[in-house]
Amino acid sequence: MRVPLPFGRGCREAEGEGFTGLEDPSSGPSGHLLPEGEGRAKKIMWSELPLFPDRASTIAGETDALFFALIAISAFFATLIFFLIFFFSIRYRRRAGRPRAAQVNTSLLLELFWTGVPICITVGLFIFGAMVFMRVRQPPANALPIYVVGKQWMWKVQHPEGRREIDELHIPVGRPVKLVMASQDVIHDFFVPAFRVKQDVVPGRYTAMWFEATKKGEYHLFCSQYCGTQHSGMIGKVIAMEPRDFEAWLAGSTDETPVKAGEKLFSRFDCVNCHAANTRQRGPALEGAYGHPVRLQTGQTVLFDDNYIRESILNPMAQITEGYRPIMPTFQGQLNEEQIMELIAYIKSLTPQQSGKPNP
Amino acid sequence: MSNVAARVAEQFDDAVQQRESATVGMWIFLATEVMFFGGMFLGYAVYRSSYPMVFGASSQRLDIVLGTLNTALLLTSSLTMAMAVHAAHSGKRRSLVGFLFATIVLGAGFLGIKFYEYFQKFEEHLVPGKGFVFEGADSRHAQLFFSFYFAMTGMHALHMVIGIVMMGVLIVFAMRGKFTAEYYNPVEMAGLYWHFVDIVWVFLFPLLYLVERS
Amino acid sequence: MNARESLEHQHYLNVSYGVKSWLLTRDHKRIALLYLISITLFFFLGGFFAVLIRLELLTPAGDFVQAETYNKLFTMHGLIMIFFFLIPSIPAVLGNFLIPLMIGARDLAFPRLNLLSWYIFIVGGIFTLTAVVTGGVDTGWTFYTPYSSTYSNSAVVLTALGVFVTGFSSILTGINFIVTVHKMRAPGMTWFRMPLFVWAHYATSIIFVLGTPVLAISIVLVGLERVFGIGIFDPKLGGDPLLFQHLFWFYSHPAVYIMILPAMGVISEVIPCFARKKIFGYNVVAFSSLAIAILGFLVWGHHMFVSGQSEFEGLIFSALSFMVAIPSAIKVFNWTATLYKGSISFHAPMLYALGFIGLFTVGGLTGLFLATLAVDVHVHDTYFIIAHFHYIMVGGAVMAYFAGIHFWWPKITGRMYPETWARLAALIVFVGFNLTFFPQFILGYLGMPRRYYAYPDEFQVLNVLSTAGASILGIGYLIPLVYLLWSLRYGRVAGTNPWHATGLEWRTDSPPSTENFEETPVVQEEAYAYDEVPEEVSLV
C-alpha cells in the first residue's frame, strides 16, 4: 500500500499494488546505493510513503494474515487499556468534597478472567503461528535448488544449470525455490521482505530456506544479520520472471554447471585416487551414497547429506565410515565454500533420484 | 559476652542475624558460581556428545596419575578445612591455624602439580593456539577438548588461588585472636567456598581425565 | 514550620562532608547517589550516540559518518544503555536507597559489599569508556561469533572486560538484596506486607544472581578465543557459533526482565499513592513478579528462531514466550483496576506511571508478534524489533525510572521539584517517544533491517519522522536535568511526607538520617493502607 501525498515532485511512481522501491534511478544495476552526486535524486521522496510491503510469495499471505490478526488483538487491548485509563482518570479524578470511594482491592473472578482470556488468545496465536512456521520451514520436494554463498559483503549465487550471479537472484514465478546457503566467513542472513522469509547463513554448516514467487518483479534482498563494516551494503535484488523468460535467461550463459565444475575439482584434488570405483578399498564409494545412511566407526549412523560431505572434506577424521582407515587428508583452507558446493553437486549427481533425474 | 556484641556490625540487630545473613549470602554466591562454571560444563557437554571419539583420545593424553594425585590432595584439603572449622567452633586457636595452614599447603600442592601438568602439555604441543599439534584423528576437535581443559581447570585454579589467599587472611586474623568459639563466621564461610571449589574439581576430574579409560 | 520541616536537621547528606566521606561511605543512601551521578553520565553519553545514529538515518545514503563509525555508534549505544544505565538504574539508585527504608532496616545486609558494587561498576565503566575513546567496538552489543571472536578489528576484549567486570556489580547487588529481604525486615513486616517495590527487586535479584554469571562465562570464552585463538565458537577450529548465541541469550533474555521488573515495582508504588487506593490484587502482582523472573529463564531461544536452531526448539521457545507474557498482562490489568473508584491526581510521577502503562502495553503486545513464529521470521533483525524493545525499555523502564525519581525526590533530597515543568517534560517525552519509535514498527514490517546506516530511498520519510521525534525526546530528557538540579537549591522544602503516601520510607525525615529510623519501626498495617489516610489530607 502506498500513500500518495500532495507535495513532492520528481519521484517516479511504482507500478503494481505494492511498493517495491526498485524502479528508481538512484540505485545502480546491482541494487547498491550510489554515493551522493552520482545521478541520484537528493530530495526526500515525500510523494511516496510506503506503509506495507509488497506481497510476492505463496507464504506472504499467511504471514500477513497472522500479522493482521495480531494487529487486531493488539489494537483491541491497547485501546481497551488506553480507554480505561482515560475514562477512570477523568471519572475518578480528585475533586474537593467528593466522598471517599468504596475500596475494591481484590476479585478472584476478575483475576481468573483476565488470566484466562489472554491464555486462550496466546494459545491460539501459538498454534496459528506454529502451523505457518512449519510450512515456512519445510520445502516441498520439488523445490528447485539454488546455491548461495554469503561472504563479506556480497551474495554469490550459483544456479545448478550453470549461471552465476552476484547480489542478484533470478527465479521463476510459480515454482518453489530452495536456497542452500553457506557462509565464507561470519554469520549473514538472506532476507527478502516481499517473500516474508529470512534465514541466517552460518559458517560451518549449510542452512536452507525456500519460497515460491507469485508475481514477477524485482524485490529487495537484504543481509539482515550484522556482519561487519559493509553490512548495509550487502544488499541486492531478487528478480522473479515468468517461467519461459527464466529458462531463456538461464540458457543465456556459457558458465559451467556446478556438477561439471565439481567433477573437475574431484579430479584436480585427486579425490579419484581413493574414491573412484576401482579403488574402493581406500575410500568409500560415492556412487549411490547420497541421501542414504552411513555407518560410522563409532557405531553411530548418520545421513550422507550436504553437511556430511562438507564435514568429510574439511575434517575427515571426525566421522570415519566403518571399515575404512583414517587416511583421508583434510582440504581445510584449500577449498572455498563455492568449490565445496560444486563438489557436493557432483557427488549428488552420482546418485540418481528415483525418477531417474539427478538429485536436486 | 561484650566482645561478641562488639563484633556485630551496625546494620544487624544481633549476632544471630549477622551469622544467618552471611550464611545465606555465601550460599547465594555459590549458586552464582555454579551458573558460571555451568556455562563451561554445558559447552563441554555439547562438544563431547558431538565428538566422543576424539574427546576420548584427547583425554588419554592427560596424565591420570597426576590427576588422581591432585584429586587426593584436594579432597584431603577439604578434610583439613572441615577440621579447621571444627577447631574454630571449639575455640582452639592453634589447631585452627594449623589446619588452615595444612589446607594452604595441600592447595598449593595441587596448584604446583597443575602448573607442572600445564608445562608438560606445553612441551607436548597440546596448548591450543598456533603451536597445537595432535597426531592422528581430528586435530581440530582435539584442540576443542584442550581449550575446554585449559579454560575449565584454569578457572578452577584461579578460584583456588583466591581461596588460598583467603586462608592466609584467616590465619592472620586467627593469630590476632579475632575468632572465638562464639564468633568464627568468616572461617565457616571460607569453608563453604573451599568445599565448593573442591566439588567443582570432583566433577572436572572424571569429565576431563576419565573419558574412555577402560 | 517545625525543625523537621526545614533542612536544618542532621541527615545523611550533611552528617559529614568531604570526598572521603562519600567515597568510603557505607550508607546505602549515599551509595545510591553515587550510582545516580554515574548512571546519569552514562545515560547522556548513550543518548549522544543515539542522536548521532538518528542524524545519520535522516538520509538514505551513508553520508554523515563512515560505515565503521556507525557500527561503533550503535554498538556502544546499546552497551552503554543496557549495562551502564538500564540495568543499574532503578535497582542501584532507587532500590539501594529505598529497600532498607521500606522494610524498616538501618541498611542493607552487606553495606561494604554495596560500596564494592559501585566501585566494580566504575571500574567496568572505565574499561568500557577506554574502549570507546581508543577506537570503539563494532560488534553490536550482542557480540555474535565468529565476527566478534575472529573478524572484528575493534576493541572487543577491552569492552568485554568492561562488561564482565560490571556484571559482578549486579551479582553483588543481587546477593545483598536477597539476603536483606530475607533477614532484615522490621518486626511485623511480613512478606505480604512488604511494598511491591521490594517484591519486584527480590525477583530481579534472582535473575541477577543466576543469569549474570552465564553472561560472564560467555564473554570470557569470547575473550579467550580472541586472544589465544582457541576455537570454541569458530567453525574453522571446530567450534559452533550457535553455542555462543545460546550462552549469550540465556543471560540476555532474563536481562530484559532485570530492566523491567524494578520498573513495574515503581509503578506499583506510584499508582496507589496517586489514586489514593490500595493496589488491586496485591498477591497476584507479587507472584507475577516471581513468575516473570522464573519463566524469563526459559525463553531465550526466541532470539534464535532463524539462527539455525531446529523447528522443534522453535516451537518450544515460542510456546514459553507466550506464557511469559501472561503475568505482565495480569499486572497491567491490576494497575488499571487500581484506578477504578480511586481519587486520582496527575502529578508528574503519576503522568509518567500512566504513560508507562500505555507504552508498556504496546511494547508487550508487540512482543506477541515476536513470539508468533511465522511473523518473527519476517520481522527478526528489522526495525520492528528495535521499536518493540524501545517501547519497553524507554517507554517502559525509563519512564518508570523518571516516575520513581520524581516520586522519591523529596525523600532523597528534602526538596520538591517544580511541578509544572515536570508535567511539561513528561508530556514532551511521551510525544517525542511515540514519534520516534512508532514509525519504526512500520519500517520493520516493510523490511528495513537493523544496524543499517544506509537504506533504500523509500524508507526515508519514516526515518525522518523518527529522527524528528528523537529530537523532541532529547529535549524532554534535558528539561528534568535542569530543574532537578535547580530544585536542590531552590526547590520548596518537602517535609516528611509530601505525598501523604503509605510506606515506612515516608515515616522518616526528608532527607533521612544516616541510620534511617530513630527506633526500629514495628509494623502493624497492611501495605497501601490508603483507606486509613484521612480524607481531608490534600496533596501539595
Side-chain angles (χ1 to χ4, degrees):
Chain A
M1 175 182 52
R2 118 179 90 87
V3 175
L5 299 173
F7 41 87
R9 299 170 295 277
C11 293
R12 291 165 47 197
E13 296 192 352
E15 294 173 1
E17 313 151 19
F19 197 93
T20 60
L22 280 157
E23 294 92 324
D24 82 285
S26 61
S27 312
S30 62
H32 283 283
L33 301 160
L34 295 177
E36 279 275 307
E38 285 186 40
R40 61 180 302 278
K42 290 191 191 178
K43 24 194 179 307
I44 297 174
M45 305 274 283
W46 289 109
S47 65
E48 304 288 0
L49 176 58
L51 292 177
F52 201 77
D54 208 357
R55 188 183 296 164
S57 78
T58 52
I59 209 74
E62 294 181 59
T63 305
D64 287 349
L66 255 176
F67 182 69
F68 289 125
L70 281 157
I71 289 190
I73 294 169
S74 305
F76 172 75
F77 281 103
T79 310
L80 176 69
I81 297 293
F82 275 69
F83 170 74
L84 285 174
I85 290 179
F86 269 118
F87 178 67
F88 289 161
S89 298
I90 296 172
R91 169 87 177 78
Y92 298 112
R93 69 187 182 281
R94 181 156 323 170
R95 270 164 295 181
R98 187 166 75 81
R100 175 179 289 286
Q103 297 267 302
V104 181
N105 304 311
T106 49
S107 161
L108 184 60
L109 195 62
L110 215 48
E111 300 284 357
L112 288 174
F113 176 70
W114 63 45
T115 306
V117 170
I119 288 180
C120 292
I121 294 176
T122 52
V123 167
L125 287 171
F126 167 70
I127 293 175
F128 191 2
M131 281 166 49
V132 181
F133 179 68
M134 295 311 282
R135 272 201 280 287
V136 165
R137 290 290 282 244
Q138 286 163 347
N142 64 334
L144 172 71
I146 299 179
Y147 303 99
V148 175
V149 172
K151 65 188 280 276
Q152 288 173 323
W153 288 281
M154 64 175 79
W155 295 104
K156 303 179 87 168
V157 175
Q158 168 76 72
H159 290 264
E161 298 81 357
R163 272 201 91 150
R164 294 163 185 274
E165 316 188 61
I166 293 187
D167 290 337
E168 278 184 5
L169 170 64
H170 283 76
I171 55 172
V173 167
R175 202 149 159 230
V177 166
K178 172 175 153 177
L179 300 183
V180 177
M181 307 187 286
S183 166
Q184 191 66 53
D185 37 51
V186 298
I187 305 179
H188 301 276
D189 188 292
F190 196 96
F191 176 37
V192 186
F195 296 166
R196 310 290 190 273
V197 286
K198 65 163 62 73
Q199 178 65 46
D200 273 10
V201 181
V202 184
R205 67 170 79 182
Y206 290 118
T207 55
M209 63 190 278
W210 81 276
F211 44 77
E212 179 179 327
T214 51
K215 63 179 197 203
K216 71 173 200 201
E218 293 187 353
Y219 308 106
H220 282 299
L221 158 63
F222 295 126
C223 171
S224 67
Q225 181 61 252
Y226 176 68
C227 54
T229 309
Q230 288 303 333
H231 169 60
S232 326
M234 195 164 158
I235 64 178
K237 297 195 271 199
V238 175
I239 300 155
M241 315 172 90
E242 296 295 344
R244 265 206 318 261
D245 298 334
F246 178 69
E247 296 299 329
W249 176 86
L250 270 184
S253 101
T254 49
D255 287 341
E256 206 169 44
T257 67
V259 171
K260 267 232 133 346
E263 192 177 8
K264 286 193 183 158
L265 287 169
F266 198 79
S267 160
R268 181 172 137 211
F269 281 88
D270 293 330
C271 317
V272 282
N273 288 359
C274 301
H275 288 291
N278 61 348
T279 60
R280 205 166 308 160
Q281 66 274 17
R282 280 214 284 264
L286 304 177
E287 295 82 11
Y290 189 85
H292 293 101
V294 176
R295 205 172 149 77
L296 301 180
Q297 229 170 43
T298 56
Q300 273 177 298
T301 301
V302 296
L303 188 62
F304 193 109
D305 62 4
D306 290 5
N307 272 309
Y308 177 75
I309 299 175
R310 187 175 175 283
E311 184 79 3
S312 301
I313 294 173
L314 295 178
N315 190 21
M317 300 299 171
Q319 296 182 309
I320 302 172
T321 308
E322 197 180 37
Y324 290 90
R325 290 184 0 252
I327 53 172
M328 178 170 169
T330 170
F331 294 88
Q332 173 95 40
Q334 297 176 54
L335 294 167
N336 64 29
E337 294 293 338
E338 290 162 80
Q339 289 172 316
I340 295 173
M341 280 177 165
E342 286 161 358
L343 280 166
I344 291 176
Y346 170 65
I347 293 171
K348 260 195 227 178
S349 74
L350 299 176
T351 301
Q353 232 188 358
Q354 304 296 62
S355 59
K357 284 196 293 205
N359 265 326
Chain B
M1 293 289 154
S2 60
N3 54 353
V4 173
R7 291 201 191 95
V8 176
E10 219 172 70
Q11 68 272 17
F12 293 116
D13 296 331
D14 53 47
V16 172
Q17 192 189 40
Q18 175 172 265
R19 193 171 150 218
E20 288 180 354
S21 299
T23 307
V24 174
M26 178 52 81
W27 279 105
I28 298 174
F29 175 70
L30 295 181
T32 73
E33 293 277 49
V34 168
M35 299 306 287
F36 185 69
F37 278 97
M40 284 193 285
F41 275 98
L42 177 77
Y44 174 85
V46 165
Y47 286 125
R48 177 162 155 187
S49 71
S50 299
Y51 310 112
M53 274 187 67
V54 69
F55 267 47
S58 307
S59 168
Q60 283 166 14
R61 300 291 300 271
L62 296 178
D63 190 331
I64 196 171
V65 171
L66 292 181
T68 309
L69 180 57
N70 258 352
T71 307
L73 284 179
L74 205 49
L75 287 175
T76 311
S77 77
S78 258
L79 175 64
T80 56
M81 187 69 222
M83 304 292 296
V85 173
H86 180 76
H89 181 60
S90 315
K92 298 183 181 152
R93 196 206 302 188
R94 285 179 54 139
S95 299
L96 169 60
V97 172
F99 282 118
L100 285 174
F101 189 70
T103 308
I104 290 183
V105 167
L106 291 166
F110 176 98
L111 286 175
I113 294 178
K114 192 104 227 77
F115 291 130
Y116 174 68
E117 278 188 88
Y118 281 5
F119 177 67
Q120 257 188 342
K121 292 287 153 292
F122 178 71
E123 300 262 282
E124 294 166 22
H125 299 287
L126 288 174
V127 176
K130 290 219 164 51
F132 185 83
V133 173
F134 189 83
E135 306 85 28
D138 202 0
S139 88
R140 237 180 13 166
H141 294 125
Q143 185 170 200
L144 210 48
F145 174 88
F146 284 100
S147 300
F148 275 99
Y149 170 76
F150 280 101
M152 292 171 90
T153 58
M155 192 55 74
H156 177 261
L158 177 64
H159 281 77
M160 285 208 48
V161 169
I162 294 171
I164 289 176
V165 169
M166 276 200 312
M167 301 301 149
V169 169
L170 286 180
I171 287 181
V172 170
F173 283 167
M175 292 196 334
R176 286 196 200 154
K178 192 166 176 195
F179 303 124
T180 66
E182 288 81 28
Y183 175 75
Y184 58 97
N185 222 18
V187 181
E188 242 188 340
M189 298 301 106
L192 278 178
Y193 176 82
W194 191 262
H195 294 316
F196 172 78
V197 173
D198 191 8
I199 289 177
V200 171
W201 178 258
V202 166
F203 280 90
L204 279 183
F205 177 63
L207 280 179
L208 292 172
Y209 287 79
L210 301 182
V211 186
E212 300 263 331
R213 303 242 189 204
S214 49
Chain C
M1 186 161 69
N2 66 30
R4 286 296 177 249
E5 294 296 309
S6 76
L7 286 178
E8 282 152 25
H9 64 274
Q10 191 182 71
H11 49 76
Y12 78 101
L13 290 167
N14 63 14
V15 66
S16 55
Y17 293 102
V19 171
K20 248 180 84 171
S21 75
W22 279 89
L23 293 182
L24 294 177
T25 183
R26 284 190 239 175
D27 183 354
H28 64 102
K29 300 181 289 298
R30 285 196 169 193
I31 295 172
L33 289 191
L34 290 174
Y35 269 109
L36 176 62
I37 297 167
S38 332
I39 67 164
T40 304
L41 291 170
F42 280 116
F43 178 68
F44 283 106
L45 180 61
F48 172 63
F49 291 146
V51 167
L52 296 178
I53 291 172
R54 288 292 351 145
L55 282 176
E56 171 62 79
L57 293 175
L58 270 175
T59 58
D63 48 9
F64 182 61
V65 295
Q66 296 191 323
E68 206 174 294
T69 308
Y70 184 83
N71 296 338
K72 292 176 180 175
L73 285 175
F74 69 69
T75 301
M76 297 183 308
H77 168 74
L79 285 169
I80 290 177
M81 285 308 206
I82 291 175
F83 291 111
F84 297 97
F85 174 66
L86 278 168
I87 286 180
S89 61
I90 298 175
V93 176
L94 297 173
N96 264 332
F97 195 98
L98 294 165
I99 289 178
L101 287 166
M102 285 179 166
I103 61 174
R106 281 186 290 288
D107 205 313
L108 292 176
F110 308 118
R112 282 175 301 186
L113 221 56
N114 199 12
L115 183 66
L116 181 64
S117 277
W118 181 73
Y119 276 107
I120 292 176
F121 174 78
I122 293 297
V123 168
I126 288 176
F127 279 135
T128 306
L129 287 173
T130 307
V132 168
V133 301
T134 57
V137 60
D138 74 341
T139 58
W141 83 276
T142 46
F143 286 113
Y144 272 21
T145 58
Y147 183 74
S148 66
S149 53
T150 312
Y151 289 82
S152 171
N153 285 327
S154 61
V156 177
V157 174
L158 194 52
T159 308
L161 195 57
V163 173
F164 175 76
V165 168
T166 302
F168 287 101
S169 170
S170 289
I171 291 174
L172 293 179
T173 298
I175 295 177
N176 227 336
F177 283 176
I178 293 178
V179 177
T180 302
V181 172
H182 275 282
K183 291 289 168 194
M184 315 275 287
R185 284 169 287 122
M189 176 60 79
T190 62
W191 280 84
F192 289 94
R193 282 182 182 163
M194 285 198 311
L196 289 166
F197 180 89
V198 182
W199 276 97
H201 281 79
Y202 183 82
T204 306
S205 299
I206 295 176
I207 310 177
F208 272 144
V209 303
L210 294 180
T212 317
V214 182
L215 176 75
I217 196 63
S218 316
I219 291 184
V220 163
L221 291 175
V222 169
L224 289 178
E225 185 153 316
R226 213 172 148 78
V227 172
F228 295 113
I230 67 181
I232 296 186
F233 305 125
D234 185 348
K236 291 200 169 64
L237 299 167
D240 184 354
L242 251 63
L243 180 64
F244 174 78
Q245 291 182 32
H246 281 290
L247 287 172
F248 176 82
W249 285 114
F250 185 81
Y251 163 76
S252 298
H253 187 81
V256 314
Y257 298 111
I258 288 177
M259 296 186 262
I260 202 64
L261 277 170
M264 292 171 157
V266 171
I267 303 305
S268 294
E269 299 302 313
V270 171
I271 299 271
C273 176
F274 291 92
R276 310 311 293 168
K277 233 189 110 197
K278 184 176 279 199
I279 196 159
F280 197 97
Y282 173 100
N283 288 17
V284 172
V285 175
F287 285 124
S288 292
S289 295
L290 292 178
I292 291 171
I294 294 168
L295 287 172
F297 272 104
L298 305 179
V299 300
W300 76 91
H302 67 223
H303 299 269
M304 297 168 61
F305 286 149
V306 297
S307 299
Q309 74 181 4
S310 69
E311 285 86 64
F312 180 63
E313 288 168 272
L315 290 172
I316 299 210
F317 283 118
S318 168
L320 286 164
S321 302
F322 279 113
M323 275 169 59
V324 79
I326 305 289
S328 295
I330 291 174
K331 285 195 180 193
V332 169
F333 293 131
N334 277 291
W335 289 320
T336 308
T338 306
L339 298 174
Y340 176 69
K341 292 200 172 169
S343 176
I344 302 172
S345 62
F346 301 98
H347 296 76
M350 187 58 156
L351 290 180
Y352 279 114
L354 293 176
F356 171 97
I357 298 179
L359 299 178
F360 172 75
T361 299
V362 172
L365 287 167
T366 53
L368 295 179
F369 287 66
L370 307 180
T372 307
L373 284 159
V375 174
D376 185 75
V377 168
H378 177 56
V379 299
H380 172 72
D381 245 337
T382 67
Y383 263 80
F384 195 94
I385 307 282
I386 296 187
H388 161 73
F389 65 70
H390 282 91
Y391 260 81
I392 307 215
M393 292 302 130
V394 182
V398 177
M399 288 196 82
Y401 175 68
F402 275 70
I405 290 288
H406 285 78
F407 186 53
W408 283 293
W409 192 254
K411 181 57 55 184
I412 295 173
T413 64
R415 305 247 181 203
M416 293 303 289
Y417 58 83
E419 187 61 51
T420 312
W421 280 104
R423 286 172 172 165
L424 178 66
L427 209 57
I428 293 176
V429 162
F430 188 83
V431 168
F433 171 83
N434 279 296
L435 186 57
T436 308
F437 291 106
F438 196 83
Q440 294 184 6
F441 282 123
I442 304 175
L443 275 172
Y445 206 78
L446 282 170
M448 179 170 170
R450 53 186 294 198
R451 298 170 166 171
Y452 265 37
Y453 88 130
Y455 53 82
D457 286 347
E458 69 262 27
F459 295 151
Q460 184 173 24
V461 174
L462 291 165
N463 271 290
V464 169
L465 288 174
S466 182
T467 301
S471 50
I472 299 173
L473 187 62
I475 293 172
Y477 285 140
L478 286 170
I479 296 177
L481 185 65
V482 173
Y483 68 65
L484 287 176
L485 284 172
W486 173 92
S487 78
L488 290 177
R489 184 78 185 273
Y490 302 106
R492 183 162 54 79
V493 172
T496 312
N497 191 355
W499 308 120
H500 302 288
T502 64
L504 290 179
E505 76 270 27
W506 298 107
R507 307 265 179 87
T508 66
D509 299 326
S510 302
S513 63
T514 303
E515 58 281 354
N516 294 341
F517 300 95
E518 278 174 28
E519 276 173 22
T520 304
V522 175
V523 177
Q524 283 154 342
E525 57 188 18
E526 302 304 308
Y528 313 109
Y530 283 100
D531 44 346
E532 316 212 339
V533 177
E535 182 72 37
E536 38 313 326
V537 160
S538 64
L539 293 189
V540 288

